């Protein structure tokens, strides 16, 4: 069972990467894996929000939210790009 401290540690780790470009892989069940590229937009006490869209402009994007327990159970995996050359750093 996940403790509150574990989920808080995940949240504090993600707070460092707000505004960074990320690659998200989410397991939707029945062998459906969704891969999205976006920006970690906001971190809330229970969820984090990722802006997924087309390029840098503000038109044509949407937001998706996931809970920290999704990262803990590895239903969602995130990789943070270090720089513009698309080098990746794996968070979980």
């Amino acid at each position: 069972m996940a403790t509150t401290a574990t989920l808080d540690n995940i949240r504090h780790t993600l707070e460092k990467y707000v505004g960074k470009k990320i690659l998200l892989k989410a397991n939707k069940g029945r062998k459906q894996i969704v891969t999205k590229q976006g920006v970690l937009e906001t971190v809330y006490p229970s969820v984090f929000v990722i802006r997924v869209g087309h390029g840098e402009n503000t038109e044509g994007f949407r937001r998706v939210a996931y809970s920290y327990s999704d990262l803990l159970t590895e239903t969602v995996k995130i990789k943070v790009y270090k720089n513009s050359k698309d080098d990746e750093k794996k968070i979980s």
Side-chain angles (χ1 to χ4, degrees):
M1 181 174 187
T3 63
T4 314
T6 304
L7 297 176
D8 284 341
N9 288 339
I10 294 171
R11 181 172 51 88
H12 289 303
T13 302
L14 282 179
E15 285 176 344
K16 298 175 189 174
Y17 300 109
V18 171
K20 301 281 185 173
K21 183 177 174 182
I22 63 167
L23 178 69
L24 177 125
K25 290 186 181 182
N27 184 354
K28 294 290 189 177
R30 295 191 178 239
K31 298 182 182 180
Q32 296 176 359
I33 297 176
V34 177
T35 303
K36 299 177 183 180
Q37 200 172 35
V39 175
L40 182 60
E41 190 171 73
T42 313
V43 176
Y44 292 109
S46 299
V47 296
F48 59 97
V49 179
I50 298 171
R51 184 177 70 226
V52 181
H54 306 287
E56 297 295 323
N57 62 2
T58 57
E59 294 182 22
F61 71 89
R62 64 187 188 128
R63 292 180 178 99
V64 292
Y66 294 97
S67 69
Y68 303 113
S69 61
D70 290 334
L71 289 173
L72 186 65
T73 59
E74 295 186 1
T75 303
V76 173
K77 295 183 181 182
I78 291 179
K79 292 183 181 180
V80 178
Y81 291 103
K82 287 183 180 178
N83 53 27
S84 60
K85 294 181 182 179
D86 292 341
D87 294 334
E88 296 177 6
K89 177 182 179 182
K90 185 176 180 182
I91 289 184
S92 88

